[in-house]
Structures are given as C-alpha cells and as structure tokens.
Amino acid sequence: MPLHVEGTGTLGEYAAENGAVAHSRSESRDDPLSVLDEEDRIFANEDLLRIDHVPDQNKIVGRNNQIETVARRLKPTISGGTGKGTLLLGKSGSGKTLVTRYVSREVVERGEENEVRIGRAVIDCAQRRSEVQTVIHLAKSLNDPEKTGITIPHSGIATGAYYDRLWSVIDELYDAIIVVLDEIDRLAPPDDVQNVPPEEADDSKLLMQLSRAGEENDVDASITVIGISNDLKYGDRLDTRVESSFSPDEIVFPAYDANQLGDILERRRDAYREDVLTDDVIPLCSAFSAQEHGDARRAIDLFRLAGEVARDNDAGKVTENHVRVANDDAEVTRIQDLIRGCPTQAKIAIAALATMDEFTDRSAFKATEMYRVYRAFAEAIDANVLGKKRITDQLREYETLKIIDMTRTSDGYREGTYLQLSLLDDSSLLLQTIGLDERCANIPIDGRMRQHLLSIVET
C-alpha cells in the first residue's frame, strides 16, 4: 500500500533548506541578457581551467618521469612500429590521462614529420561499459567514412563484424594506432559478481583482440594500447592469456601534495585577469584539494568555481571567501556530475540508502532493508517498483563510481550470507543532489516516513 504523506518534509524541501545551490546573484538585473555584452572582469581565458584542456609541458607539474616513461613506450610508433603495452595506475586526478593525452599528441605530430600516419583514440570506458560499445566508439573515432566508405552502425551487427570494420578502417587510414582506454577497469565485472571466467570479462576480451590483432593478421598497421585505471591492483585481475599478449608495463602515478597542487594552479594563473586573485586563493584551493587525496582535477575545478562565484556576485577580486563558498558548492557539483543522467529508479534507491544513513544511527544496511525503503519511496511518488535484483544491479554502477560500497557478508550459520550496503559519500550531499531532481523532489522524508525507516532498520 503506498505511503501517502501530506504537508512538508519532502526531499526537495530538504535540498532547498540545506542549500543545494550554494551561491547565486544577490540582485537580479533589469536586463538579464546584458551579461552577453559585458567584458568578463574576472577571467582572461577560462578555457585554461577546463578539465579536458591539455597544457604545454611547462604547465605539467611533477610528472617528468612519467612523461619520459610513457614517451619511451610510444616511441616506436613514430616510425610505424608497435609501442609497449602500458597500464597507468593511480588515484583520480593524479595526472594519468593528462600525461597520456600530452605524450600521444606529441607522438602523432612527430609521426607526421616522418610521414607516418598515426591514429589516436582516447576512449572513456566508464561511458561505454561493454566490449561492443567500446569497439563501436573506437571505430567511429578513427573512421573517416568519406575516405573509407565504411559505416559504423550503433547496433544491429555482431561484435565480430564491428571488429572487422575497425580493422578495415585502421588499415585504410593509418600506419600505426595508439588506443588509450581510460578507466579500463570499468569494463571488468564487479568484485562480487560470481561465475564470470576472467577470459569472458569485457576488458579481457577487448584487450585480447587489440593486442593480438597483428599476430592474427587482422591488421597490417601496428596497434599500441595504453590502459588507465584508478585501481592500483587492476593488473593483478587480468586473465593470464591477456597478460601474455598485452604484457603491459605498469606506471604508478602518486597523488599530488599541496605544494604541487599550488604549482599547478600557479601555472594556470593566466586564466584570470591580472591582479584579480588575492594571495590566499591558490594556497586555499591547494589545501582543500590536498585533503581530497591530492586530486588535481578537483584543484583546477575549485580554482575555476571560485572565480565564477566572484563573477556572479559582481566582485572585483577573487578572495578566500569565494573559495570557501565554491568548496561547499563543489561537493554538491561533484556528486551531481557523478550521478547526472542516472535512471530515476537508481536515484530513488540511492535516496533510500542515504535517508537511512542520515536519519538512523547505523551506517551499513542489508540490501533487503534498503529495498523496503526504496519500495516505500517509489510508491509514494507513484513510480514503478522494480524487483530487488534489478535495483541491486543498478546500484552496482555507483559502487564503481565510489559512491556506494557493496559487500557480501555473513552473520553466522543461522543468518547466512547477505549483501551489505553503505555510503562512501556524505548522505546529506546525496540527498541534496537527488532532491534537485523534479520527480525525486516529492519523496517524503517527514516524521512519519522516518518512523517507518526506524521500524525497518530495527526489525
């Protein structure tokens, strides 16, 4: 029976009360479009603070050894040869993707000087999530249909046929290929998924095909593969056959310290106009980001957000206070980015777990408990109620995003094993973020619902 709750106490109201949007203009303009004609008084070149911006080497900090090692692995491609398979390992924001993009770009340019046609494809495996989707995107990235006459459909043909078209594209257009598989571990099955032979995992099948393409005479061009993972133990999970054919060297990227983060931001200071930044802005951005495992992406993003806060409030300078406001807002923004576009059903399930964490004295819950709360939330907003297995499967994606921890555990012989769920992110921030969703905003979390939560947890 649906839990119908009237009055206040919805997730949307919780988001508003807790400031899901940390800053806004204090006064509205008579002509809101006047901003289009105004000179930006804060930023000189905001593009320098884009996360996907690849700077020149003099702006890359503390990664000379890694740049040199990656360059050595890719050097053979400059003359059309095959480089060395490589795994770049380290925490998020440690410079793995930046270094790879920078070095591979330079290698492609050197190849052009030698009249060697080098193709480069950087694939975000987190956005593909399967072998076939990754191959489709790889083929599309490298293809020029006007030159090859080859089309790459979104669906409708067998996986082997996609590989055949990929090989044809490569041989038609290139002498050598550099394939960068960012977050390659996202193609691997979750740790608690049983009965998936290593050789049947999507990452193993993909690496096997790419690393053996030349050996199997699928292509004449050389293929060099670089895998990037936040999981320092990812290489240990590879199938032995893949280990033999891919045979990767591992390069570990350490986290940045506060001084290195400060140096990174100093080298991007020219994103701002002269004399706009007060002296404490860069040190504070660096300090906040050093607390988050030395994540350079977070440091750059916070540096940019502080400027946006200052600009939106018509300030003449970017100050420490703008950094602090941006830091509060960045936490919500980070979570919004992580769960942006996720299905409503997954949002309801995450909201269920976050509500349990926020309003009870426990931090870990059985999947059956989460599911009962999920069902109450879904019924309260007239959403379809999915089965427990389907909801659990949807949550596995957010385990890989490091939002949720899912552990198979046991209470002893009489209880048997069960799946235990806990949050890796702040429950309040998750509730604020999900409360911004138009439909989830109506989820009731008032006193009656909280009492229902307690009865579930105490059962």
Side-chain angles (χ1 to χ4, degrees), residues 13-300:
E13 290 169 348
Y14 178 93
E17 291 168 4
N18 287 273
V21 179
H23 73 273
S24 60
R25 294 185 54 83
S26 56
E27 296 181 4
S28 61
R29 299 169 180 265
D30 292 333
D31 179 10
L33 290 180
S34 63
V35 296
L36 299 178
D37 302 315
E38 293 176 354
E39 181 181 52
D40 192 326
R41 296 191 299 170
I42 298 295
F43 292 104
N45 185 1
E46 195 171 354
D47 283 349
L48 296 178
L49 301 179
R50 292 199 326 267
I51 297 302
D52 60 352
H53 172 70
V54 179
D56 295 330
Q57 185 180 350
N58 63 0
K59 293 184 184 295
I60 300 177
V61 173
R63 293 296 179 258
N64 279 356
N65 289 340
Q66 287 81 4
I67 289 173
E68 180 178 341
T69 304
V70 174
R72 288 185 184 278
R73 301 296 182 272
L74 294 180
K75 183 178 179 180
T77 61
I78 294 176
S79 56
T82 303
K84 175 68 173 166
T86 307
L87 284 178
L88 307 187
L89 308 174
K91 291 182 177 180
S92 177
S94 58
K96 304 182 299 297
T97 305
L98 175 63
V99 166
T100 306
R101 285 180 178 273
Y102 168 71
V103 175
S104 60
R105 182 186 68 186
E106 293 295 314
V107 167
V108 170
E109 292 178 358
R110 305 288 176 91
E112 290 176 353
E113 295 173 3
N114 290 345
E115 297 184 349
V116 175
R117 302 169 301 166
I118 302 176
R120 181 184 71 149
V122 181
I123 309 297
D124 182 358
C125 297
Q127 300 296 320
R128 310 303 154 194
R129 305 311 302 274
S130 72
E131 176 197 11
V132 65
Q133 288 299 316
T134 304
V135 174
I136 290 171
H137 190 66
L138 176 58
K140 284 180 175 291
S141 298
L142 295 172
N143 191 26
D144 183 343
E146 292 186 359
K147 293 181 179 179
T148 64
I150 297 171
T151 58
I152 313 296
H154 291 290
S155 61
I157 63 176
T159 303
Y162 281 117
Y163 277 112
D164 289 340
R165 297 192 187 198
L166 172 62
W167 308 144
S168 297
V169 166
I170 291 174
D171 274 341
E172 182 71 22
L173 299 177
Y174 305 104
D175 302 309
I177 292 293
I178 299 170
V179 177
V180 181
L181 300 173
D182 204 354
E183 297 199 57
I184 178 65
D185 54 288
R186 299 289 287 276
L187 296 180
D191 290 337
D192 64 341
V193 172
Q194 305 296 319
N195 302 320
V196 178
E199 67 273 13
E200 291 300 318
D202 281 4
D203 57 338
S204 291
K205 291 188 289 185
L206 177 64
L207 289 171
M208 181 72 74
Q209 290 282 355
L210 293 176
S211 61
R212 290 194 173 184
E215 180 183 331
E216 299 292 332
N217 296 317
D218 293 318
V219 290
D220 293 325
S222 67
I223 299 179
T224 304
V225 180
I226 293 181
I228 300 176
S229 174
N230 298 337
D231 183 354
L232 293 174
K233 296 183 179 180
Y234 174 71
D236 298 338
R237 296 161 49 180
L238 290 176
D239 174 47
T240 53
R241 294 188 306 160
V242 174
E243 183 73 27
S244 175
S245 61
F246 182 30
S247 188
D249 287 341
E250 294 187 359
I251 304 174
V252 176
F253 282 61
Y256 293 105
D257 60 31
N259 290 332
Q260 289 175 319
L261 292 172
D263 199 5
I264 288 170
L265 299 185
E266 282 288 352
R267 298 185 191 202
R268 302 199 186 206
R269 177 188 281 269
D270 46 355
Y272 285 92
R273 294 192 177 278
E274 288 188 22
D275 301 323
V276 162
L277 298 175
T278 59
D279 292 340
D280 45 13
V281 168
I282 287 179
L284 190 56
C285 286
S286 305
F288 277 138
S289 303
Q291 294 171 7
E292 297 292 329
H293 311 296
D295 189 333
R297 284 197 189 97
R298 171 169 163 72
I300 295 169

